[in-house]
Amino acid sequence: MSYASAVGLQRSLGLLNGIGMPALADHARHLAVELVDLVAPAGWRPFRPLHDASASPHIVSLRHDEIPGPAAQAALSRDHRVFTSSRVGGIRVSVHGYNTSADVHALADALSELTRQR
């Protein structure tokens, strides 16, 4: 067993519990809304509305009518060092407590550039 990893996990869980899951969910929800608003002008839209009861506050699946998910995923990784996953024709983006508005803007800029190149 890696005792150093166990100590790190214990401290990480303490930090997350100190912040609180509601605060982390609110932060992720805010970033998700910001992301959707930023990418809409370039034609990207969420698969599921963010206010839908079945939507997760930290996962956004984006679709574009002209850009397949796997192509977007590959271009984001190759050209921008932005890592997403491809899901059913779109890209899946996960925002977390450690992400900031700057991260969301970087992704939005990359998606806008990808859209302009098409």
Side-chain angles (χ1 to χ4, degrees), residues 43-47 61-65 67 87-91:
W44 292 92
R45 65 192 183 297
F47 175 72
S61 183
L62 296 170
R63 305 284 190 273
H64 195 280
D65 289 338
I67 303 171
R87 294 286 200 283
V88 193
I91 58 169

Side-chain angles (χ1 to χ4, degrees), residues 28-49:
R29 194 173 291 108
H30 172 76
L31 291 177
V33 168
E34 185 176 11
L35 174 62
V36 168
D37 288 347
L38 287 170
V39 300
W44 292 92
R45 65 192 183 297
F47 175 72
R48 179 175 293 139

